[in-house]
Amino acid sequence: MSYYVGVDVSKLKHTISIIDDKGEIIEKSFDINNTRQGFNELLNRLSVLMPKDAIFIGMEATGHYMRCLARMLINHQYHVEVLNPSLIVNFRNSIQVSKAKTDKLDAFLIARYMQCNAFAPSQVLSNNIERLRKLTHAKSFFMKDRTKCFNHLHRYLDETFPELIDFMKTKDDGSKKAIGKNLFEYESFRWLIYNYPSANKVASMRIESGEKLRKLSRGRISAISFIRLKEAAKNSIGYSTEEDELIIKSLIEEVEIIDKKLLIIDKSIKEIMLEINSPILSIPGIGLNLAATILAEIGDIHRFNNPEKLIKFAGLDVNIYQSGTILKVGKIRKRGSSLLRYALTLSVQKLRIHSPVFADFYSKKIAEGKRVTVALIATARKLLRVIWKLMTTNQQFVAE
């Protein structure tokens, strides 16, 4: 006899339901606390079900709440499957007319799903991959905070010196500069708005400050540009208060703190990636950071027995509706990891420059009349097929 255990996961407690291979309830649904005592209670209840190999446990992938429980059960040699929540939603809709939803009912539905579907075991991530996932997620979090700081700085400068951003993007002859990145990324610009956070203060800058600005900008802000900058400040419509200047300085300080954290994270990512030495680093244009994000989000490549399943995991498969003579192809599903899709999109942009194979594939899609976004998605799917091949065979990328 086999036993199927459904676990409805939440922050403080987990609800458990146990049925047998005939769908009969072995034990009424019960709750365990998300504590060591609660985990031990679950192990004690499972211990009466024999043999251990006949117990199949399922739980939804609900953020990070299920990770400690899943790891504990796997370490105790239980069969555990972490399920995509959409599978349970679809299963509920297929067997249940009522819209009722409770923790006990959810646990029972997960147990029923486990009984009705083939078991696909989840594995504990390798130590390096788990470390990469935590580091890449932290980096994404800090990068978002950094972008928010940049946006707030832009907003305050629009009040204190609204002409400044456009001035910094214009050459002495009036033509536009090729900035190449966010202005707030430049040390010289940060120094300027930190020490002179308003038009009035820029207008009163001394020649010594202009020379320091020239050195920090490596000549991009010349002596002539400095004179023009002071003139623009004198004629500015900007208005500032002490509070505005205080906030601008605080935001710059916050960005500097985040940058230091990002340097530490990047160093740790580099050390792990050099140890892993993944074959996807052999793909031209994919560096350590992008490769780290891709590896961390994919996890165990052997979960995917073909590349199409990896494409679905990334949410890059398309919605298809067919009925009789009607066939509609919709947009990509965008399920799964948004961070993985973001890393793939950035990778494709770099591959268009560094890899003739991917550049030709992208150009071919454009020549076929595909929109840019469609061509990029198609190229990302091709990249995932290549990644699957390299990771499952441990081969290096060879342009064909």
Side-chain angles (χ1 to χ4, degrees):
M1 179 180 290
S2 297
Y3 302 96
Y4 301 93
V5 181
V7 182
D8 183 66
V9 176
S10 60
K11 181 177 181 179
L12 300 178
K13 68 177 179 66
H14 308 308
T15 303
I16 316 295
S17 180
I18 306 174
I19 63 175
D20 62 17
D21 48 13
K22 295 179 181 178
E24 298 293 332
I25 297 175
I26 300 298
E27 188 170 354
K28 288 184 179 180
S29 297
F30 59 92
D31 294 337
I32 63 166
N33 291 327
N34 193 22
T35 62
R36 172 60 63 188
Q37 183 179 358
F39 285 12
N40 288 337
E41 179 186 348
L42 176 58
L43 290 175
N44 289 335
R45 294 201 185 215
L46 292 177
S47 65
V48 301
L49 306 176
M50 297 296 288
K52 184 180 286 189
D53 284 345
I55 303 173
F56 301 93
I57 305 171
M59 62 187 72
E60 292 179 296
T62 52
H64 58 278
Y65 294 133
M66 52 75 191
R67 290 180 185 169
C68 291
L69 179 61
R71 178 178 288 277
M72 182 276 293
L73 290 168
I74 292 173
N75 288 340
H76 280 80
Q77 309 304 313
Y78 283 102
H79 299 304
V80 177
E81 181 175 2
V82 178
L83 302 162
N84 189 319
S86 64
L87 296 176
I88 305 303
V89 171
N90 292 336
F91 183 71
R92 175 189 289 111
N93 293 336
S94 69
I95 66 171
Q96 182 179 309
V97 176
S98 171
K99 297 295 183 182
K101 186 182 186 304
T102 65
D103 292 344
K104 292 183 178 181
L105 182 57
D106 286 348
F108 176 72
L109 283 170
I110 294 171
R112 282 290 310 277
Y113 178 89
M114 297 294 294
Q115 177 208 357
C116 298
N117 293 272
F119 176 72
S122 298
Q123 303 294 329
V124 174
L125 291 175
S126 71
N127 184 50
N128 280 337
I129 295 299
E130 187 167 14
R131 290 168 63 201
L132 274 183
R133 181 172 290 181
K134 290 180 178 179
L135 287 168
T136 53
H137 283 202
K139 181 172 182 177
S140 175
F141 172 81
F142 286 127
M143 289 294 289
K144 288 177 182 177
D145 277 357
R146 190 168 178 259
T147 299
K148 287 179 182 178
C149 287
F150 288 167
N151 292 338
H152 284 306
L153 281 168
H154 206 303
R155 174 198 163 196
Y156 279 99
L157 287 175
D158 281 344
E159 293 185 41
T160 63
F161 193 174
E163 301 85 359
L164 180 60
I165 300 292
D166 190 58
F167 175 88
M168 299 301 291
K169 294 180 178 180
T170 306
K171 295 181 180 179
D172 292 337
D173 60 5
S175 61
K176 291 294 181 181
K177 292 180 181 178
I179 298 296
K181 58 181 179 180
N182 194 313
L183 267 176
F184 298 106
E185 300 273 3
Y186 289 99
E187 181 187 1
S188 56
F189 189 64
R190 289 188 197 175
W191 178 86
L192 173 65
I193 61 178
Y194 182 84
N195 292 281
Y196 304 93
S198 66
N200 288 337
K201 291 198 171 179
V202 171
S204 63
M205 288 177 70
R206 300 172 63 87
I207 191 68
E208 294 84 0
S209 297
E211 179 61 18
K212 183 173 180 65
L213 192 59
R214 184 189 67 79
K215 290 180 179 179
L216 286 173
S217 67
R218 298 181 181 179
R220 285 189 297 270
I221 302 177
S222 63
I224 295 176
S225 296
F226 178 64
I227 294 172
R228 289 178 50 246
L229 175 62
K230 292 187 63 175
E231 191 65 28
K234 289 177 183 177
N235 296 317
S236 174
I237 61 171
Y239 169 80
S240 66
T241 63
E242 289 184 7
E243 290 74 22
D244 292 322
E245 296 181 8
L246 174 64
I247 292 170
I248 288 174
K249 287 189 173 187
S250 298
L251 286 168
I252 292 293
E253 289 170 357
E254 185 66 25
V255 170
E256 298 290 346
I257 291 171
I258 293 173
D259 282 348
K260 290 177 181 178
K261 293 176 181 177
L262 289 173
L263 285 174
I264 295 171
I265 290 173
D266 283 342
K267 181 181 178 182
S268 297
I269 288 174
K270 182 178 180 180
E271 290 173 355
I272 297 171
M273 288 300 294
L274 292 177
E275 182 179 342
I276 293 175
N277 193 26
S278 171
I280 72 172
L281 287 170
S282 63
I283 303 175
I286 297 185
L288 290 173
N289 285 300
L290 283 176
T293 302
I294 293 170
L295 288 176
E297 295 306 298
I298 290 176
D300 182 8
I301 192 64
H302 299 292
R303 294 185 296 159
F304 312 100
N305 54 24
N306 63 62
E308 300 311 310
K309 289 189 176 180
L310 178 56
I311 289 171
K312 287 183 179 180
F313 173 79
L316 292 179
D317 58 318
V318 296
N319 283 302
I320 298 177
Y321 174 83
Q322 184 177 20
S323 179
T325 58
I326 299 174
L327 176 62
K328 295 181 180 179
V329 180
K331 299 179 180 179
I332 60 172
R333 294 182 186 271
K334 289 189 177 180
R335 289 177 178 172
S337 168
S338 59
L339 189 56
L340 175 57
R341 287 192 296 277
Y342 175 73
L344 290 169
T345 301
L346 286 183
S347 298
V348 166
Q349 298 285 14
K350 293 179 179 295
L351 289 169
R352 289 169 52 199
I353 300 171
H354 299 286
S355 173
V357 172
F358 287 94
D360 290 345
F361 181 85
Y362 173 82
S363 299
K364 178 184 176 183
K365 293 299 175 183
I366 294 295
E368 291 173 356
K370 306 292 186 184
R371 290 181 287 113
V372 170
T373 52
V374 175
L376 287 173
I377 291 168
T379 309
R381 284 199 287 264
K382 178 179 176 65
L383 173 59
L384 275 177
R385 293 187 182 98
V386 171
I387 288 173
W388 182 86
K389 181 68 174 179
L390 298 183
M391 291 182 68
T392 53
T393 62
N394 201 31
Q395 294 177 353
Q396 298 293 298
F397 176 78
V398 178
E400 297 178 355

